[in-house]
Amino acid sequence: MLDAAVTRRLRQIVGDQHFKDDRQSLVAHSYDGTPMLQSLPDGVIYPESTKQVSEIMKVLAEYRIPIVTRGSGSNLCGGTVPVEGGIVMVMHRMNRILEVDMENLTATAQTGIITAEFTAHIESLGLFYPPDPSSMKISTLGGNIAECSGGLRGLKYGTTKDYVIGLEAVLANGEIIRTGGKLMKDVAGYDLTKLLVGSEGTLAIITEATLKLVPPPKSKKTMLAMYKDLYGAARTVSRIIEAKIIPATLEFMDNPTIRVVDDFAKLGLPRDMEAILLIEQDGDPEAVERDIDLIREICVSEQADRLEVAETREQAEKLLTARRSAFTALARLRPTTILEDATVPRSRIADMVLRINDIARKYNVSIATFGHAGDGNLHPTATTDARDQEEVHRVEQAFEEIFEAAIDLGGTITGEHGVGLVKAPFLEWKIGSAGIEVMKGIKRAFDPDNLLNPGKIFAKETRKRVVIQHG
């Protein structure tokens, strides 16, 4: 419970209506999009400016009160659960686009704006902001930056870090820093901009971002390729890249996902296929037609059973629906849906999917897999019931082996969801103990009193690696 003096000072900064400590508000901000994680904060605050954020942090630093910043709470690694209590700072009031610079092709915005709203405004001006996380209709720019979000267009256009060129942020002591700017080149000292992107709210509170924009593609073409052979689909992915074609979208769904999506969306998908690839290319019309023709040839040569090419934008949207509805469709099956992510080299996608299937059978749990085949980022998704503790334990064991399998295949424990609370016990598997100590040193330099999103990224105890036997 907060000291009355703290509560009074925080209310003076933002106004009574923008600080809440009633039970309903605390419960509403005690969890995020991650299943089965919940912890009550001591208060919730809604700043409207960088100046207010700075003043809030000076108060919290004085009393050593932890803080968790959040946008819409769509986080999937427990990253915005206030595990050590304190204050949850909600950024939604800081939702303005401050400038769109048509000469430098940049936009500066406060980080509480919803990503889809920002993207729609940019597109209305004839420009393009490519990052497109699946949560973009509800997630904020600040959340995307904190997690370095990816999306369906990540293969061709990169992820959030590739478009953030400047930041305004508030440190744990309330000081305001500005990094980068409207510059394509800047090597003046350490790259603090890139360091803060993906730092999951543990180093600073990001309040404004300057983002790189690009011209929009002139045309798009979308197709589905369907396979009875999982390895044929995987080989197709590798051969497309080997042919020096970088599609805008190259997505994957396995058979369990295909069946569930078809039940949900009634798209008439072939339920006997082991894999479906969703492929979209954009750019100049001639180049798009040439690429799609070559991709079609590759798919046929790798024994694709069926091919569908959208002739209209409406048909393309129908095909895209198949991939975008995967999580929604799976969430209908059981009370609890655990959406994870792991990344492997794209040449090992089929191996990873088969390993996931073997692990699911081993622990007798239901796991469907879909994801971004072009960049090797897969989303094994378990459907379970949080009330069945024995089954949930088996799901947790399965995911532990899945993370181990990803590393065994040359991959990583997370490609876009972040470390947060869920992946913290496994981080050392990826970066080693020396890497952990370097990161802890960076954390201490920014936040010596561990006030910013404490309990995240660094686990109290590293999970022992399992030994996976292959037969």
Side-chain angles (χ1 to χ4, degrees):
M1 188 170 179
L2 295 175
D3 186 283
V6 173
T7 299
R8 183 176 64 254
R9 290 174 66 180
L10 293 177
R11 290 184 186 278
Q12 287 172 348
I13 294 169
V14 297
D16 286 344
Q17 69 273 36
H18 299 304
F19 175 83
K20 299 182 183 299
D21 57 4
D22 60 281
R23 182 73 178 178
Q24 181 176 340
S25 296
L26 299 185
V27 171
H29 294 86
S30 64
Y31 58 92
D32 59 17
T34 317
M36 302 179 295
L37 291 177
Q38 188 172 21
S39 182
L40 283 176
D42 298 301
V44 183
I45 198 164
Y46 305 80
E48 69 171 355
S49 67
T50 300
K51 183 175 184 295
Q52 285 190 355
V53 174
S54 174
E55 292 173 353
I56 292 165
M57 285 313 306
K58 288 175 182 177
V59 173
L60 300 184
E62 179 181 339
Y63 288 87
R64 301 292 190 267
I65 297 171
I67 186 164
V68 176
T69 51
R70 73 179 255 163
S72 300
S74 57
N75 189 281
L76 290 169
C77 64
T80 53
V81 177
V83 291
E84 297 190 15
I87 300 294
V88 170
M89 182 183 288
V90 183
M91 307 301 287
H92 279 166
R93 293 179 69 207
M94 299 181 62
N95 58 10
R96 293 185 299 127
I97 298 174
L98 303 174
E99 179 193 49
V100 178
D101 186 336
M102 304 296 284
E103 293 181 342
N104 288 300
L105 292 186
T106 65
T108 301
Q110 294 178 309
T111 52
I113 189 170
I114 300 298
T115 307
E117 294 177 5
F118 173 80
T119 300
H121 180 72
I122 296 304
E123 291 180 355
S124 74
L125 300 176
L127 294 171
F128 187 37
Y129 177 70
D132 64 333
S134 296
S135 60
M136 65 187 296
K137 289 185 178 180
I138 58 169
S139 63
T140 62
L141 278 181
N144 297 167
I145 293 168
E147 300 300 327
C148 191
S149 298
L152 273 67
R153 295 193 285 247
L155 171 62
K156 182 172 185 176
Y157 289 101
T159 61
T160 299
K161 70 176 183 291
D162 299 303
Y163 296 88
V164 180
I165 56 176
L167 294 172
E168 180 178 79
V170 178
L171 300 177
N173 63 6
E175 291 185 10
I176 300 170
I177 63 170
R178 291 174 178 83
T179 72
K182 300 178 184 180
L183 305 167
M184 295 302 107
K185 293 181 178 179
D186 182 4
V187 293
Y190 298 140
D191 192 342
L192 297 180
T193 304
K194 289 294 189 285
L195 179 60
L196 291 180
V197 175
S199 61
E200 303 188 26
T202 63
L203 301 182
I205 299 171
I206 299 170
T207 56
E208 291 182 12
T210 298
L211 305 166
K212 179 177 67 174
L213 309 176
V214 297
K218 294 179 180 178
S219 68
K220 293 180 182 179
K221 202 89 173 183
T222 307
M223 67 184 293
L224 281 184
M226 304 162 228
Y227 296 81
K228 291 184 177 178
D229 173 27
L230 184 64
Y231 276 94
R235 286 194 303 269
T236 298
V237 172
S238 297
R239 285 195 56 198
I240 289 171
I241 307 302
E242 187 180 8
K244 300 180 176 60
I245 300 172
I246 307 297
T249 298
L250 183 46
E251 297 289 300
F252 167 89
M253 292 190 294
D254 71 354
N255 180 266
T257 309
I258 294 167
R259 290 173 175 270
V260 172
V261 167
D262 194 53
D263 286 339
F264 171 70
K266 310 298 182 186
L267 296 171
L269 298 177
R271 301 164 71 91
D272 60 336
M273 296 296 161
E274 287 302 310
I276 284 180
L277 296 179
L278 168 67
I279 307 164
E280 185 171 72
Q281 183 59 301
D282 63 12
D284 291 331
E286 299 82 4
V288 169
E289 290 293 341
R290 183 176 64 248
D291 286 350
I292 287 293
D293 286 344
L294 183 53
I295 290 170
R296 185 189 288 108
E297 291 177 10
I298 292 171
C299 292
V300 170
S301 70
E302 293 297 345
Q303 309 304 310
D305 192 79
R306 284 174 54 186
L307 293 171
E308 291 184 13
V309 179
E311 298 300 327
T312 66
R313 196 60 213 164
E314 290 73 24
Q315 291 177 351
E317 286 300 324
K318 180 180 177 182
L319 298 183
L320 287 166
T321 297
R323 165 62 179 88
R324 293 190 186 276
S325 62
F327 176 71
T328 304
L330 288 164
R332 297 169 67 245
L333 297 182
R334 301 285 302 279
T336 306
T337 306
I338 304 175
L339 172 63
E340 273 297 353
D341 84 313
T343 302
V344 295
R346 53 182 162 245
S347 61
R348 306 305 299 272
I349 286 174
D351 296 325
M352 185 63 189
V353 173
L354 292 176
R355 293 273 280 271
I356 291 170
N357 293 344
D358 289 343
I359 291 167
R361 282 191 291 270
K362 174 181 176 180
Y363 290 100
N364 190 28
V365 295
S366 176
I367 298 179
T369 303
F370 58 92
H372 316 304
D375 52 29
N377 184 208
L378 296 174
H379 295 307
T381 304
T383 51
T384 183
D385 189 336
R387 295 166 296 187
D388 186 340
Q389 295 186 6
E390 190 276 332
E391 182 180 76
V392 167
H393 178 63
R394 285 188 278 113
V395 169
E396 290 172 343
Q397 289 179 302
F399 276 125
E400 185 169 335
E401 286 203 19
I402 286 169
F403 301 148
E404 173 75 10
I407 291 175
D408 187 44
L409 292 171
T412 184
I413 60 173
T414 176
E416 57 187 7
H417 289 179
V419 176
L421 198 62
V422 173
K423 301 285 183 66
F426 312 107
L427 180 60
E428 190 174 319
W429 295 3
K430 174 59 181 173
I431 67 173
S433 59
I436 292 287
E437 289 307 310
V438 169
M439 290 177 62
K440 285 182 175 179
I442 294 170
K443 169 69 169 173
R444 286 191 294 268
F446 274 85
D447 182 19
D449 295 315
N450 193 29
L451 302 181
L452 298 173
N453 208 7
K456 311 301 167 51
I457 296 183
F458 306 110
K460 293 180 180 178
E461 183 178 350
T462 296
R463 200 71 60 87
K464 291 182 65 176
R465 289 184 67 170
V466 298
V467 178
I468 301 177
Q469 301 292 335
H470 307 292

